[in-house]
Amino acid sequence: MNLFFDHSINKNTKTVNFSFEESKHIKSFRMKSKELVTVTNGKGLEWIGELETINKNNPIANKISSKVHNDMISKIEIAIAPTKKIDRIEWFLEKSTEIGIKKIHFIQTKNSIRKKINKERLEKIIISSMKQSKQFHKPIIYDIISFNDFIILNNNTQKFIAHCQNTHKTDLAKNLINNNPCTIMIGPEGDFTRKEVDFATLNGFNPVGLGKNRLRTETAALVAIQTVHTLLTI
Amino acid sequence: MNLFFDHSINKNTKTVNFSFEESKHIKSFRMKSKELVTVTNGKGLEWIGELETINKNNPIANKISSKVHNDMISKIEIAIAPTKKIDRIEWFLEKSTEIGIKKIHFIQTKNSIRKKINKERLEKIIISSMKQSKQFHKPIIYDIISFNDFIILNNNTQKFIAHCQNTHKTDLAKNLINNNPCTIMIGPEGDFTRKEVDFATLNGFNPVGLGKNRLRTETAALVAIQTVHTLLTI
């Protein structure tokens, strides 16, 4: 089945009028009238409808059934400093959505080079990846927030800051407990500063490493996510 | 330190004449004469030399010391069907090199769309990623081989075939034993055929899954690698 997206629908919606974007996809899949179509709102909804006679510019589907799936399995939150080249963050969003992530925070750190993100564009990448990997929950992304504000506001059960400095830290894999929600902070190209690591540690973040190799920002974030997923599987 | 590459050197090499490619990097790092420079051959060598007065087009370094590092830690071999869009494989090569991989095999499967790879270009991506992540061992890539030949020729201790079909399989994470070398096969966009999975299984490959979500080819390969790394860490 091909999955479509409409943020405005709920389980009681009778008719879906596809957006311009989604209409293009219906056309490219060469879908015909009477064909079944699955639509999600990214909040767990699996809405199945039948396509009406397809008006090329405005396809419509009428409801057959709907079902709401429980909370997404992944309870991972990543706080990441946007990379200098935004395509690396875009790649990270596509991949982390496929693998499974709950929330993505962008943080402004001392060594951050990029100060802005185009949230609308990033949102589109997430929606596309969610549809491609057939998930009914869309990860949530937030606007950039300062490092200090993030530290103070995040109150997850397990909190980690991954960094490359030669101070005391242990492997992320050795620190995770069960399926508790967790937040993992990933630094910019120039890493977090010592002061930032200290401030995070003072505020309940556990300093961790992600293996022996020096990883790029977006690779580190993905490694962190898959580390959590692996530990939940075994 | 910045790491440079020269496949032709060994621990007894007295002088390194940098290639055109590496000379450009020396220039872009604005390195000066008398500066120390680290060079590897991708086979474990860490060669340290001092730059002579820099002739812009042909920098030279004279040996100070050299050391050979043991075998790379990663004993993972991935056999992957090249993706339709080659940038997805290129991305996979960059990331898997960063995280740690020993060998990459390209396989021609029933549902493969791409039949050719540009090995020289892919090799460059691997070398760049190896240098960036400061490793002294270069993953080895091989030319495309047929699915059947690969199955018959690969004699690793642990062998897995990851697929999306609804036949009996268990999670990769639940099947890995210790730090034994392992081979993991990853299918093309249209997955392996049932016949291919059966043939692999008959020949000692264990059918496995990589979690609940439908992953793209290159994502699946990366997830497999990080799953192995995580299990070796805990």
Side-chain angles (χ1 to χ4, degrees), chain A residues 104-149:
Chain A
I104 299 145
H105 307 269
F106 293 105
I107 45 173
Q108 177 79 51
T109 72
K110 179 78 165 50
N111 290 331
S112 291
I113 293 171
R114 176 176 291 277
K115 318 270 184 207
K116 282 182 185 170
I117 53 161
N118 180 340
K119 207 178 146 197
E120 204 180 325
R121 182 179 157 88
L122 300 183
E123 189 81 30
K124 277 187 187 164
I125 290 167
I126 287 182
I127 291 170
S128 166
S129 181
M130 173 194 69
K131 285 160 48 183
Q132 205 276 338
S133 56
K134 313 236 181 281
Q135 297 182 72
F136 302 111
H137 289 91
K138 187 177 71 61
I140 302 165
I141 53 172
Y142 298 88
D143 275 322
I144 293 192
I145 182 175
S146 79
F147 176 88
N148 281 13
D149 283 354

Side-chain angles (χ1 to χ4, degrees), chain A residues 91 95 132 214 218-219, chain B residues 91 95 98 132 214 218:
Chain A
W91 167 84
K95 297 307 172 203
Q132 205 276 338
R214 194 181 74 155
E218 73 281 6
T219 318
Chain B
W91 167 84
K95 296 309 173 200
E98 272 180 70
Q132 205 276 335
R214 194 179 73 154
E218 73 281 6

Side-chain angles (χ1 to χ4, degrees), chain A residues 23 47 53 61 79 87 97-99 145 160-161 163 180 207 215 221 234:
Chain A
S23 302
W47 185 99
T53 312
D87 61 344
T97 301
E98 273 181 69
I99 298 173
I145 182 175
F160 303 99
I161 182 164
H163 67 86
N180 285 340
L215 304 172
I234 56 171

Side-chain angles (χ1 to χ4, degrees), chain B residues 75-137:
Chain B
K75 294 174 184 168
I76 306 168
E77 294 186 32
I78 291 282
I80 188 168
T83 49
K84 190 175 159 198
K85 290 189 181 170
I86 198 66
D87 61 344
R88 295 190 170 273
I89 282 294
E90 292 178 357
W91 167 84
F92 162 69
L93 291 178
E94 178 186 303
K95 296 309 173 200
S96 60
T97 302
E98 272 180 70
I99 298 173
I101 185 166
K102 189 169 185 177
K103 295 179 181 178
I104 299 145
H105 307 269
F106 293 105
I107 45 172
Q108 177 79 52
T109 72
K110 179 76 166 52
N111 292 330
S112 291
I113 294 170
R114 174 177 292 276
K115 318 271 184 207
K116 282 181 183 169
I117 54 160
N118 179 341
K119 207 177 147 200
E120 204 180 324
R121 183 180 156 87
L122 301 184
E123 189 80 31
K124 276 187 188 165
I125 291 167
I126 287 182
I127 291 170
S128 167
S129 181
M130 173 193 69
K131 284 160 49 183
Q132 205 276 335
S133 56
K134 314 234 181 284
Q135 297 180 73
F136 302 110
H137 290 92

Side-chain angles (χ1 to χ4, degrees), chain A residues 113-227:
Chain A
I113 293 171
R114 176 176 291 277
K115 318 270 184 207
K116 282 182 185 170
I117 53 161
N118 180 340
K119 207 178 146 197
E120 204 180 325
R121 182 179 157 88
L122 300 183
E123 189 81 30
K124 277 187 187 164
I125 290 167
I126 287 182
I127 291 170
S128 166
S129 181
M130 173 194 69
K131 285 160 48 183
Q132 205 276 338
S133 56
K134 313 236 181 281
Q135 297 182 72
F136 302 111
H137 289 91
K138 187 177 71 61
I140 302 165
I141 53 172
Y142 298 88
D143 275 322
I144 293 192
I145 182 175
S146 79
F147 176 88
N148 281 13
D149 283 354
F150 180 79
I151 293 281
I152 291 163
L153 293 170
N154 192 270
N155 54 7
N156 229 338
T157 319
Q158 297 185 93
K159 300 186 290 191
F160 303 99
I161 182 164
H163 67 86
C164 306
Q165 292 164 44
N166 282 329
T167 55
H168 175 73
K169 61 184 173 188
T170 45
D171 275 310
L172 172 65
K174 289 186 177 141
N175 279 278
L176 286 161
I177 304 164
N178 308 324
N179 191 14
N180 285 340
C182 69
T183 298
I184 307 164
M185 298 187 82
I186 306 287
E189 278 92 341
D191 203 358
F192 290 116
T193 63
R194 177 68 187 267
K195 212 172 145 185
E196 284 170 336
V197 173
D198 288 348
F199 184 71
T201 310
L202 266 173
N203 284 279
F205 282 74
N206 201 345
V208 290
L210 296 167
K212 287 189 180 165
N213 295 345
R214 194 181 74 155
L215 304 172
R216 284 180 185 273
T217 296
E218 73 281 6
T219 318
L222 213 74
V223 159
I225 294 170
Q226 185 52 32
T227 299

